[in-house]
C-alpha cells in the first residue's frame, strides 16, 4: 500500500511556520504582511475560494485587504484598482481571483500586477524567469509550489528522477513541469493530444496529475513505488451523499494506492497546500520589502 501524503498536516506545519514569521516581522520590524484579495462579480465557487483565503490570512496574522468589485466593472476601472494596490505600501501581495468576467482581458489584468506583489506567480515575467535556467522568479505559482513541497517534505527525491506531468494548464501543468526541471528531474508532459499516454506515465518515478479528468489514471498506468501527486478536484454524482456528489481526483485512488509508493488523497492532499503557499508567498513578499 502507498504511503498516503497528508496534505492537511503538511499545510498546517507551513501555516505554523508562516505565523511565526508574521509574528517576527511584526515585533522586529513593525511590519504586518498585507494580502489584497480582489474578486469581480458573484460566482459562488470564486466566493468560496476567496473566503477561504481571507480566513486563512486571519489565522496566521496576515492583514487581508478585501476588494469586492461588481460584475460589470470596466477593464479600465479594474486596472486602476490594481494600480492603486500596487502603490499601497501596506499591501505586499495582490491576488485577482480567476476567472474574470468575459468582457475583461485576464492576461492584461495579470500583467498589470506589480511583479513584486504577484503572489500568485502568474505575471509573465515571473513565469519567464521560472522557465529560464539560472534565473529565479520572485514568486512561484501556489499549487505547483505546493506539489513540490509535498514531495520534499515526504522525503521523495526529485533529482535525476523521471517525472511525468499530466496536463499542460498555465496554472498547474506548465509551471510544475518547469519546477521539476529546475529540480533536475527528466520531465515529460502528457496532454489531451498525446497518443497512448499510459505508456509514458508508466515510466515515471513521479507523476503529477493535473488534467481535470475524474479518475483517469488507473492502477496499471503506475510504475510500482512511484510518487503520485493528484491535483485534480472533480465532482462525481454520489446519491449516498447528502450533497448528491463527492470529490475525486484525476487518479483512481483505490487502484493506484495498491501500486504507488506515495499518493496524495482528494480532498486533503494538494488543496490545503495551495492556500498555505499563498500565505508563504505573501510573507516572503513582505520580507523582501524589508531587505530592500
Amino acid at each position: 500500500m502507498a504511503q498516503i501524503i497528508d496534505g492537511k498536516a503538511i499545510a498546517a506545519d507551513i501555516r505554523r511556520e508562516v505565523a511565526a514569521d508574521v509574528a517576527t516581522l511584526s515585533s522586529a520590524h513593525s511590519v504586518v504582511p498585507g494580502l489584497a484579495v480582489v474578486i469581480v462579480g458573484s460566482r459562488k465557487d470564486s466566493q468560496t475560494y476567496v473566503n477561504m483565503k481571507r480566513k486563512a490570512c486571519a489565522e496566521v496574522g496576515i492583514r487581508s485587504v478585501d476588494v469586492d468589485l461588481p460584475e460589470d466593472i470596466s477593464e479600465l476601472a479594474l486596472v486602476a484598482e490594481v494600480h492603486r494596490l500596487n502603490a499601497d505600501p501596506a499591501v505586499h501581495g495582490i491576488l485577482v481571483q480567476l476567472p474574470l468576467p468575459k468582457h475583461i482581458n485576464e492576461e492584461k489584468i495579470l500583467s498589470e500586477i506589480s511583479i513584486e506583489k504577484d503572489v500568485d506567480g502568474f505575471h509573465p515575467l515571473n513565469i519567464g524567469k521560472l522557465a529560464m535556467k539560472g534565473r529565479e522568479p520572485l514568486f512561484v505559482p501556489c499549487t505547483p509550489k505546493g506539489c513540490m513541497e509535498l514531495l520534499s517534505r515526504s522525503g521523495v527525491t526529485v533529482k535525476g528522477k523521471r517525472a511525468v506531468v499530466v496536463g499542460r494548464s498555465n496554472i498547474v501543468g506548465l509551471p510544475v513541469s518547469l519546477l521539476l526541471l529546475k529540480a533536475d528531474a527528466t520531465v515529460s508532459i502528457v496532454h489531451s493530444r498525446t497518443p497512448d499516454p499510459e505508456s509514458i506515465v508508466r515510466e515515471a518515478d513521479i507523476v503529477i496529475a493535473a488534467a481535470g479528468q475524474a479518475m483517469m489514471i488507473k492502477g496499471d498506468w503506475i510504475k510500482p513505488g512511484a510518487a503520485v501527486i493528484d491535483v485534480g478536484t472533480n465532482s462525481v454524482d454520489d446519491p449516498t451523499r447528502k450533497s448528491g456528489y463527492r470529490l475525486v481526483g484525476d487518479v483512481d485512488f483505490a487502484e493506484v494506492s495498491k501500486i504507488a509508493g506515495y499518493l496524495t488523497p482528494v480532498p486533503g492532499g494538494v488543496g490545503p497546500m495551495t492556500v498555505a503557499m499563498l500565505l508563504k508567498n505573501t510573507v516572503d513578499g513582505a520580507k523582501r520589502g524589508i531587505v530592500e
Side-chain angles (χ1 to χ4, degrees), residues 210-231:
Q213 296 293 322
M215 295 164 72
M216 154 188 166
I217 294 171
K218 301 294 179 192
D220 62 1
W221 288 38
I222 299 298
K223 175 180 177 175
V228 181
I229 305 290
D230 190 353
V231 185

Side-chain angles (χ1 to χ4, degrees), residues 131-201:
M132 293 169 85
K133 202 174 171 185
R135 309 281 165 87
E136 288 301 326
L138 291 180
F139 297 102
V140 171
C142 301
T143 303
K145 186 173 177 169
C147 293
M148 299 302 288
E149 200 71 36
L150 287 173
L151 290 170
S152 73
R153 292 194 185 218
S154 303
V156 176
T157 310
V158 176
K159 189 175 185 165
K161 293 292 170 52
R162 297 205 64 168
V164 173
V165 178
V166 184
R168 53 176 169 180
S169 73
N170 289 337
I171 293 174
V172 185
L174 182 72
V176 84
S177 59
L178 295 172
L179 279 171
L180 287 161
L181 197 56
K182 258 201 194 327
D184 297 324
T186 302
V187 184
S188 305
I189 302 173
V190 164
H191 49 78
S192 57
R193 302 286 181 270
T194 306
D196 190 23
E198 54 267 48
S199 66
I200 299 171
V201 174

Side-chain angles (χ1 to χ4, degrees), residues 34 36 49-50 59 61-62 68 76 86 129 133 138 142 152 173 178 186 188 195 203 212 222 251 253 259 289:
Y49 289 133
V50 162
E59 282 170 13
I62 290 173
D68 297 67
L76 208 62
N86 282 344
K129 283 173 185 274
K133 202 174 171 185
L138 291 180
C142 301
S152 73
L178 295 172
T186 302
S188 305
E203 295 181 348
I222 299 298
V251 172
F253 188 87
I259 306 203

Side-chain angles (χ1 to χ4, degrees), residues 5-208:
I5 298 176
D6 187 344
K8 262 192 183 148
I10 294 174
D13 289 344
I14 291 164
R15 285 189 189 209
R16 274 191 291 274
E17 293 161 18
V18 168
D21 278 352
V22 171
T24 304
L25 279 171
S26 176
S27 62
H29 302 279
S30 306
V31 169
V32 177
L35 175 65
V37 184
V38 180
I39 181 169
V40 180
S42 51
R43 270 180 69 122
K44 278 276 178 285
D45 57 344
S46 289
Q47 282 181 327
T48 303
Y49 289 133
V50 162
N51 290 337
M52 208 163 63
K53 289 165 185 175
R54 288 171 177 169
K55 184 167 166 273
C57 282
E59 282 170 13
V60 297
I62 290 173
R63 192 174 69 96
S64 171
V65 180
D66 301 348
V67 184
D68 297 67
L69 302 167
E71 180 89 28
D72 60 359
I73 190 172
S74 72
E75 186 173 282
L76 208 62
L78 181 53
V79 168
E81 202 59 47
V82 169
H83 287 173
R84 181 181 70 78
L85 296 167
N86 282 344
D88 184 345
V91 170
H92 302 95
I94 300 169
L95 178 141
V96 176
Q97 184 65 41
L98 304 178
L100 289 168
K102 290 277 185 282
H103 68 279
I104 293 174
N105 179 341
E106 202 167 276
E107 188 181 354
K108 162 91 175 137
I109 301 304
L110 293 180
S111 64
E112 291 292 337
I113 295 171
S114 157
I115 184 173
E116 282 88 13
K117 300 189 179 188
D118 172 40
V119 284
D120 251 345
F122 294 144
H123 191 289
L125 269 176
N126 274 325
I127 293 288
K129 283 173 185 274
L130 181 61
M132 293 169 85
K133 202 174 171 185
R135 309 281 165 87
E136 288 301 326
L138 291 180
F139 297 102
V140 171
C142 301
T143 303
K145 186 173 177 169
C147 293
M148 299 302 288
E149 200 71 36
L150 287 173
L151 290 170
S152 73
R153 292 194 185 218
S154 303
V156 176
T157 310
V158 176
K159 189 175 185 165
K161 293 292 170 52
R162 297 205 64 168
V164 173
V165 178
V166 184
R168 53 176 169 180
S169 73
N170 289 337
I171 293 174
V172 185
L174 182 72
V176 84
S177 59
L178 295 172
L179 279 171
L180 287 161
L181 197 56
K182 258 201 194 327
D184 297 324
T186 302
V187 184
S188 305
I189 302 173
V190 164
H191 49 78
S192 57
R193 302 286 181 270
T194 306
D196 190 23
E198 54 267 48
S199 66
I200 299 171
V201 174
R202 230 173 255 132
E203 295 181 348
D205 305 303
I206 296 167
V207 178
I208 312 277

Side-chain angles (χ1 to χ4, degrees), residues 251-273:
V251 172
D252 187 324
F253 188 87
E255 285 189 12
V256 171
S257 61
K258 298 190 182 92
I259 306 203
Y262 299 84
L263 177 60
T264 61
V266 175
V270 175
M273 293 298 289

